[in-house]
Amino acid sequence: MGRKKFLNQTDMKVAVIGDEDTVTGFVLAGCGQRDGQGNTNFITVDSKTKRRDVEDKFHEMVGRKDIGVILINQTIAEDIRHVLTDHTSKGIVVPTVLEIPSKEK
């Protein structure tokens, strides 16, 4: 049996929740990742994306051990503010959630 690998800071990934332009930029910069099951560390949110889908993806990202930072657009963060507040009130440091400016604001 192999030893369980401990993830250190160099193994952590950046996750992105944002509009098409934001996600495309980060994926082109090398932040995008898709595993063998089709799971990604990003989600593109548009007017057709349901709020519940964004919340579910956020919870999935928070639960992953290989994600160290979650970047989220301000406008999307406002839509799921209650979920972000719950996350920060628990005092969880990793993954760190950073809101980035949206082009709409």
Side-chain angles (χ1 to χ4, degrees):
M1 297 182 93
R3 291 184 356 198
K4 183 177 179 184
K5 182 180 178 189
F6 176 75
L7 295 176
N8 60 30
Q9 292 174 343
T10 60
D11 295 328
M12 296 286 189
K13 294 174 179 54
V14 175
V16 183
I17 302 173
D19 59 23
E20 186 176 9
D21 293 338
T22 302
V23 172
T24 300
F26 279 100
V27 169
L28 287 173
C31 292
Q33 180 241 351
R34 181 181 308 267
D35 64 12
Q37 289 79 32
N39 298 321
T40 61
N41 64 334
F42 57 89
I43 181 173
T44 302
V45 180
D46 58 17
S47 60
K48 298 175 188 167
T49 307
K50 296 178 183 164
R51 183 174 54 124
R52 184 69 191 166
D53 293 338
V54 177
E55 292 172 2
D56 291 344
K57 188 66 174 182
F58 178 80
H59 288 301
E60 175 193 322
M61 291 174 175
V62 167
R64 288 178 54 176
K65 300 295 181 201
D66 63 335
I67 292 182
V69 176
I70 299 174
L71 302 176
I72 183 169
N73 280 101
Q74 285 178 330
T75 54
I76 299 164
E78 289 301 322
D79 292 341
I80 63 166
R81 179 62 58 200
H82 63 284
V83 176
L84 297 176
T85 303
D86 288 344
H87 174 73
T88 55
S89 68
K90 293 176 185 173
I92 300 171
V93 178
V94 176
T96 301
V97 179
L98 297 174
E99 293 184 31
I100 55 177
S102 300
K103 61 182 179 183
E104 289 86 27
K105 282 196 170 191

